[in-house]
Amino acid sequence: MENPNEEAFDEKVYQYYEENKPDLSKVVTIAFIGKVSSGKSSLINAFFERGKDDTIAKVGATSGVTTQVKFFQLDENVHIVDSPGLDDIKKENSEATEKFLKSIDIAIFVVSGSADKTQKVNFSGIKSRINDTLFVLNKMDEFDDLDESGIDEVVTQWKISIGIDHVFKTCAKGYDPKSRKDVPLRIQGVDELKAEVYKILSTKKKDILLKKAMKDKRSAAISIAVAATVAAAGASLVPASTVYITGIQMTALSSLVYLYTGEVLDKKNITAIMFSMLGQNVGKSIFMFAASFFPGVDVVGALVAATVTAAMLAAAISFLESGKSLNDAAGFNDMYKKTYSTVKSMLNVTDITSEGFIERLFNKLI
């Protein structure tokens, strides 16, 4: 940086942070819609990473167990509806239900078995009300006896019947309370479905809200860290890159703290954490933080940006998973320095654009 104005630098970083941080006051609403016994309840439990003895939705072996609209509030920011169809939601005919219907972010339309043309009307009705509607062919275990071409034929028939391009194939078996205790859960295809849901919610800056509701915090944390590391490397190619790199780091750290603790940080709190990583309890300005990593240059190399960001976020995840506060300046700084040394020895500039490398790096670091 060539004699930049510290106050202007801080203002630009905080502006980036305010524009890009997730709105943690929002609510995510997901509707699982489909005929009774399509496996919606089991899919909900699998989607939200529940165990046999920790289910959200009631599952029964008898056909038609889930015959009513079920509403669940997973936490204050995540709401779920389990319904046989859109008409069943409308039958509630209450102001609260209408408001809920309008608030649905994503509808997951669940079917099972062979293609059924009558489902096209139901799917189209939902799609017309909820733009982000995903089609799921559940209970894929029913096709275990088919070879790959047989399964492809079933999927193709559904695509033609409904008029869609993509079918998510899932299996969420083993949640029925009457199943034997020694039978393990069989969950397939749910991660792909979840990834698409996260992708949609990220456009609304809501994905972190859903990730916080999941039991598996680590995979969500790594996805945040990977995205930030790649973004920081990319930002290194633009003028005044330190503004964007620092803003990216600040936003990612804030998201990680919320993910693990539920704490919503303002810019003062997140700045304090940034300086904590340097082993300092108090920092003068965010400019001084950036200058400590990228002294004397305005444009930072991609490798330097990626290395610093990866080390910072990997150290933060390790610290948060151990239940420690990132405000522990001495501890956080020590963790960062050790992690930085490891990342520097493992990361090359060609690795940054290598598909899957950054994710594998974080899995090794944490």
Side-chain angles (χ1 to χ4, degrees), residues 145-165:
D145 293 337
L146 297 181
D147 60 18
E148 188 173 344
S149 64
I151 293 174
D152 288 342
E153 184 177 342
V154 171
V155 173
T156 299
Q157 288 173 350
W158 272 111
K159 287 180 179 180
I160 294 172
S161 297
I162 307 299
I164 53 176
D165 296 323

Side-chain angles (χ1 to χ4, degrees), residues 75-92:
D75 61 27
E76 62 182 7
N77 298 107
V78 179
H79 298 169
I80 311 164
V81 61
D82 176 358
S83 172
L86 191 59
D87 288 340
D88 296 270
I89 301 176
K90 292 178 181 177
K91 285 177 184 176
E92 295 288 326

Side-chain angles (χ1 to χ4, degrees), residues 28-322:
V28 172
T29 305
I30 301 177
F32 289 77
I33 300 173
K35 287 185 176 181
V36 293
S37 301
S38 63
K40 295 190 311 298
S41 298
S42 290
L43 184 59
I44 289 172
N45 290 323
F47 188 91
F48 288 98
E49 302 166 355
R50 297 296 170 136
K52 282 187 173 184
D53 300 321
D54 185 31
T55 58
I56 300 172
K58 179 182 178 182
V59 179
T62 305
S63 178
V65 167
T66 311
T67 58
Q68 300 177 7
V69 180
K70 303 290 185 182
F71 296 94
F72 308 96
Q73 186 169 328
L74 204 56
D75 61 27
E76 62 182 7
N77 298 107
V78 179
H79 298 169
I80 311 164
V81 61
D82 176 358
S83 172
L86 191 59
D87 288 340
D88 296 270
I89 301 176
K90 292 178 181 177
K91 285 177 184 176
E92 295 288 326
N93 196 27
S94 67
E95 184 179 342
T97 301
E98 282 300 312
K99 183 178 180 181
F100 183 84
L101 187 60
K102 292 177 181 179
S103 73
I104 294 175
D105 291 288
I106 299 173
I108 297 177
F109 189 79
V110 187
V111 300
S112 62
S114 300
D116 178 0
K117 291 182 180 180
T118 64
Q119 291 280 35
K120 183 173 183 177
V121 174
N122 297 329
F123 179 81
S124 297
I126 294 167
K127 182 71 174 176
S128 67
R129 292 288 300 270
I130 307 166
N131 185 56
D132 292 312
T133 298
L134 306 178
F135 189 91
V136 174
L137 176 56
N138 196 28
K139 295 188 174 181
M140 287 302 297
D141 54 292
E142 293 180 347
F143 305 114
D144 281 350
D145 293 337
L146 297 181
D147 60 18
E148 188 173 344
S149 64
I151 293 174
D152 288 342
E153 184 177 342
V154 171
V155 173
T156 299
Q157 288 173 350
W158 272 111
K159 287 180 179 180
I160 294 172
S161 297
I162 307 299
I164 53 176
D165 296 323
H166 187 76
V167 172
F168 290 90
K169 297 172 289 184
T170 63
C171 174
K173 186 178 181 181
Y175 283 102
D176 194 290
K178 294 181 180 179
S179 63
R180 298 198 321 270
K181 296 297 182 183
D182 61 329
V183 176
L185 292 174
R186 180 178 172 183
I187 300 173
Q188 296 172 294
V190 177
D191 285 344
E192 182 192 355
L193 174 63
K194 201 182 301 181
E196 183 62 21
V197 170
Y198 284 147
K199 182 179 178 181
I200 293 169
L201 291 177
S202 68
T203 64
K204 306 176 183 182
K205 297 183 180 180
K206 289 185 173 186
D207 53 316
I208 186 64
L209 301 175
L210 183 59
K211 289 175 179 177
K212 179 180 174 292
M214 298 296 180
K215 283 198 163 185
D216 179 15
K217 297 289 193 292
R218 177 173 291 189
S219 62
I222 288 177
S223 70
I224 292 169
V226 169
T229 301
V230 173
S236 69
L237 303 176
V238 302
S241 60
T242 48
V243 168
Y244 301 105
I245 294 169
T246 307
I248 289 166
Q249 294 169 342
M250 182 178 287
T251 304
L253 274 175
S254 179
S255 294
L256 289 174
V257 170
Y258 175 76
L259 178 70
Y260 281 99
T261 70
E263 184 180 359
V264 179
L265 302 177
D266 58 23
K267 65 181 183 181
K268 180 179 178 181
N269 295 136
I270 192 61
T271 299
I273 287 176
M274 302 280 275
F275 276 95
S276 177
M277 193 188 73
L278 295 176
Q280 303 174 21
N281 290 317
V282 180
K284 295 180 180 179
S285 71
I286 202 66
F287 166 80
M288 297 303 296
F289 170 85
S292 67
F293 289 106
F294 318 119
V297 293
D298 184 52
V299 179
V300 180
L303 182 59
V304 174
T307 302
V308 170
T309 305
M312 175 189 302
L313 300 180
I317 294 170
S318 296
F319 226 61
L320 288 166
E321 286 201 344
S322 66

